[in-house]
Amino acid sequence: MMKMESKVAPLDAKLSMAHIYVAFIALALGGTAGLLQTLVRSGQFQLPAGIGYYQLLTVHGVLLGLVLTTFFIVGFLFAGLSKTSGTLSDKVRRSGWIGFWLMTFGTSLTASAILTGKASVLYTFYAPLMAHPTFYIGLALVVVGSWVSGIAMFIHFAKWKKQHPGKASPLLSYMAIATMILWLIATLGVAATVLIQYIPWSLGFVDTIDVLISRTLFWYFGHPLVYFWLLPAYMAWYVIIPKIIGGKIFSDSLARLSFVLFLLFSIPVGFHHQLTEPGIAPSWKYLQVILTFLVIIPSLMTAFSMFATFEMYGRSKGATGLFGWFRKLPWGDARFFAPFMGMLIFIPAGAGGIINASHQLNQVVHNTIWVTGHFHLTVATTVLLTFFGIAYWLIPHLTGRIMTKAMNKLAIVQTIVWVIGMTFMSSAMHFAGLLGAPRRSSFSTYGDSAQALDWIPYQVAQAVGGSILFIGIILIIVIVTNLAFFAPKGETEFPIGEVEEAAEKTPMILENWKLWVGIIVVLILVAYTVPFIEMIQHAPPGSKGFNHLL
């Protein structure tokens, strides 16, 4: 059994790599759109060839927020399950390929609608903006494809549990299943609004759409989506990084408990994105804000666990003093350096999230580019830098190659470039947001308004940061291409950390998924049932569609 698990099986590796290829193609295309956006917002550049700003904005959001993340995560989870729970069966692998092709076809449908100018509705696709039906049908196929893959993962995990009764499951597999449970429950919201509301409306079967219900269903999905991005990063932090640095996992049970808490408190909280929304009673917003703040607990548990691991490792290497262990960390290893910089940046990113979810403070920053700056710290920095760190060992492991010293140095440079670029861009977004600069808008001086003119220097700084980030995208594409096709042949480890010997034994109640999913369902029903009844009872006439965002 151990021999089978020492390396991801070749057929499983092909499935994972297919997802990873699509993810990095999405990064290249979506990143190019992002660069052009920042240049336009600076006022120093006009788009050529009739390309629309909001068309670009939609490409950027959909490719980076949905396609890149979902494909990379599914590929990583399949590899992790194959490594820690045994080679995938033919049936599971076949389901994985069906899911992949459904997602890929759906992505191409959605992309074709955007690129032909028929779906400039941004990645949130708020009604009453109406896209071409293929935009929504494509999104639905991406979600359905991910469900097929997720169910295949559940089947694989259940087989392992059946073969090992009474035993705690491998930590990486446990986390992979928690991530897919989160995704499947969360995507029910976006699937419901797309299938029941958007597709019939865009096809002309119904004349109007209930904007409040569509937006509520989107944000039922939209906030746990952030944790769907974050949980695979946490998987790498908890399980992979300790092995890379030569240390031990601080606590298996703490890691599992943090994932359970993320599941419980990250789904029934969508109203904190709708604090200025009419039609939702303040008491229900208050409840969901409380649940939002509870998610801070597992985040702090993760921070404690990670820095405990780092300190124990440093002490084992002879470090003394309060921060002597810090110097002992392997700063020259890109597999550690990139995720560690992501961890550090998650500190200001998390603080910004607390501000966004606070009712009074939200009034200041709501719908300003501050929110976009926060978004880029969490997803585009914390999550992406960790994904890059994963790619530096996962891709050569799956392709039978090794990362050379030259590529490792380039990866260190790439991380530094990314952090510098994001510091410029995100900081400028935060400051401009505090001055009232709107998000989701092209360059405008609003008739040379004094307030709007104050935003311009910050928008130029965003363009500088965006340009530096684009250099970072070029570098990561060079590295990934090398690791996939040109690096020397060899064996690369799939690093799985061992638990510290003194750690407490893992309570088996954490393996009781029926219990935890049941509690999630109860929390969702408490948080959403009455508000939805009120929305339906007091529904407005509904809105006709608007086809173009000019």
Side-chain angles (χ1 to χ4, degrees):
M1 188 72 175
M2 288 302 295
K3 187 176 182 182
M4 177 182 71
E5 293 179 353
S6 64
K7 195 174 190 303
V8 174
L11 290 176
D12 298 350
K14 285 182 180 179
L15 175 61
S16 291
M17 282 305 301
H19 287 85
I20 291 169
Y21 290 142
V22 175
F24 280 99
I25 291 168
L27 175 65
L29 298 175
T32 303
L35 170 67
L36 295 175
Q37 280 172 244
T38 60
L39 295 176
V40 169
R41 266 190 89 107
S42 72
Q44 307 298 313
F45 177 79
Q46 287 190 331
L47 291 168
I51 300 171
Y53 176 82
Y54 297 101
Q55 184 182 16
L56 273 184
L57 191 50
T58 308
V59 168
H60 179 70
V62 170
L63 286 183
L64 298 191
L66 297 176
V67 177
L68 158 64
T69 52
T70 306
F71 274 87
F72 186 91
I73 290 167
V74 172
F76 175 45
L77 297 189
F78 269 127
L81 284 164
S82 176
K83 164 70 177 174
T84 57
S85 294
T87 302
L88 306 179
S89 68
D90 291 342
K91 183 179 178 182
V92 166
R93 195 182 304 113
R94 194 180 310 117
S95 298
W97 279 112
I98 291 169
F100 169 79
W101 287 113
L102 279 171
M103 288 166 63
T104 305
F105 180 61
T107 299
S108 64
L109 275 184
T110 297
S112 66
I114 300 168
L115 295 175
T116 53
K118 296 175 181 176
S120 298
V121 293
L122 314 191
Y123 110 102
T124 48
F125 55 91
Y126 280 169
L129 291 174
M130 182 193 284
H132 191 271
T134 53
F135 175 86
Y136 305 115
I137 293 168
L139 284 181
L141 287 173
V142 171
V143 171
V144 171
S146 70
W147 288 352
V148 173
S149 293
I151 292 166
M153 292 179 197
F154 295 155
I155 292 169
H156 183 68
F157 185 73
K159 180 182 175 184
W160 188 96
K161 294 287 286 181
K162 189 175 180 181
Q163 292 173 348
H164 302 81
K167 289 188 178 180
S169 56
L171 182 54
L172 199 70
S173 291
Y174 179 93
M175 292 172 160
I177 295 305
T179 303
M180 286 312 295
I181 289 173
L182 174 74
W183 175 251
L184 262 71
I185 295 173
T187 47
L188 291 173
V190 73
T193 188
V194 166
L195 294 173
I196 298 170
Q197 290 186 287
Y198 281 98
I199 290 177
W201 177 60
S202 64
L203 288 170
F205 297 156
V206 294
D207 292 330
T208 61
I209 190 169
D210 187 315
V211 172
L212 179 58
I213 285 181
S214 68
R215 204 169 294 189
T216 301
L217 285 169
F218 177 85
W219 284 118
Y220 166 91
F221 154 78
H223 191 76
L225 173 65
V226 175
Y227 287 91
F228 174 66
W229 297 328
L230 276 168
L231 289 187
Y234 283 6
M235 289 167 62
W237 297 0
Y238 272 115
V239 182
I240 309 299
I241 296 297
K243 179 69 171 179
I244 286 172
I245 68 172
K248 297 285 183 71
I249 297 169
F250 174 70
S251 170
D252 179 279
S253 53
L254 185 146
R256 291 176 200 257
L257 178 60
S258 70
F259 268 61
V260 167
L261 293 178
F262 279 123
L263 273 178
L264 298 183
F265 299 132
S266 64
I267 298 175
V269 296
F271 286 170
H272 83 244
H273 288 266
Q274 299 174 270
L275 290 176
T276 62
E277 192 97 59
I280 302 171
S283 56
W284 292 108
K285 294 176 183 176
Y286 178 70
L287 171 66
Q288 295 206 17
V289 165
I290 290 172
L291 291 171
T292 303
F293 279 107
L294 287 174
V295 89
I296 297 167
I297 296 169
S299 293
L300 293 176
M301 287 166 58
T302 301
F304 172 81
S305 179
M306 292 315 305
F307 282 92
T309 295
F310 296 151
E311 183 168 1
M312 287 192 304
Y313 166 76
R315 301 285 182 213
S316 73
K317 296 297 180 183
T320 57
L322 191 59
F323 294 109
W325 54 271
F326 195 74
R327 291 193 296 271
K328 299 290 185 180
L329 297 172
W331 298 108
D333 189 337
R335 300 173 304 162
F336 164 77
F337 183 61
F340 185 85
M341 294 310 295
M343 289 181 208
L344 285 187
I345 289 168
F346 198 51
I347 298 169
I354 294 170
I355 290 168
N356 296 343
S358 304
H359 189 274
Q360 291 86 344
L361 294 173
N362 180 267
Q363 310 304 306
V364 179
V365 300
H366 190 81
N367 265 347
T368 70
I369 202 164
W370 161 288
V371 180
T372 314
H374 161 73
F375 194 73
H376 280 82
L377 282 185
T378 50
V379 182
T381 313
T382 296
V383 171
L384 269 191
L385 281 180
T386 305
F387 285 4
F388 295 163
I390 292 169
Y392 296 150
W393 55 262
L394 180 60
I395 293 175
H397 177 88
L398 297 176
T399 57
R401 299 178 185 274
I402 56 172
M403 189 178 198
T404 61
K405 288 183 178 179
M407 280 297 121
N408 183 73
K409 285 181 180 177
L410 189 61
I412 296 284
V413 171
Q414 194 278 339
T415 303
I416 295 168
V417 167
W418 198 269
V419 171
I420 292 170
M422 196 58 76
T423 300
F424 270 99
M425 191 175 82
S426 180
S427 299
M429 287 176 169
H430 279 85
F431 284 119
L434 291 176
L435 294 174
R439 65 186 295 199
R440 304 187 180 103
S441 66
S442 183
F443 176 79
S444 174
T445 63
Y446 295 88
D448 288 338
S449 159
Q451 182 181 7
L453 292 175
D454 285 343
W455 307 334
I456 307 303
Y458 295 102
Q459 291 176 183
V460 172
Q462 289 169 37
V464 171
S467 301
I468 296 170
L469 282 167
F470 189 69
I471 294 170
I473 288 174
I474 294 171
L475 292 178
I476 188 66
I477 296 300
V478 168
I479 296 165
V480 166
T481 304
N482 176 270
L483 295 177
F485 302 109
F486 302 109
K489 292 280 187 180
E491 294 289 323
T492 295
E493 180 189 30
F494 191 126
I496 302 289
E498 296 177 4
V499 180
E500 180 67 34
E501 289 84 354
E504 292 286 333
K505 187 180 177 184
T506 302
M508 287 307 293
I509 192 171
L510 293 173
E511 295 275 347
N512 189 342
W513 286 116
K514 290 179 182 177
L515 170 66
W516 302 119
V517 172
I519 295 173
I520 295 165
V521 171
V522 169
L523 283 172
I524 292 168
L525 291 174
V526 167
Y528 278 102
T529 303
V530 174
F532 257 98
I533 291 170
E534 291 176 348
M535 286 177 205
I536 293 166
Q537 284 180 337
H538 305 293
S543 176
K544 291 184 178 293
F546 293 83
N547 291 98
H548 295 287
L549 192 57
L550 299 175

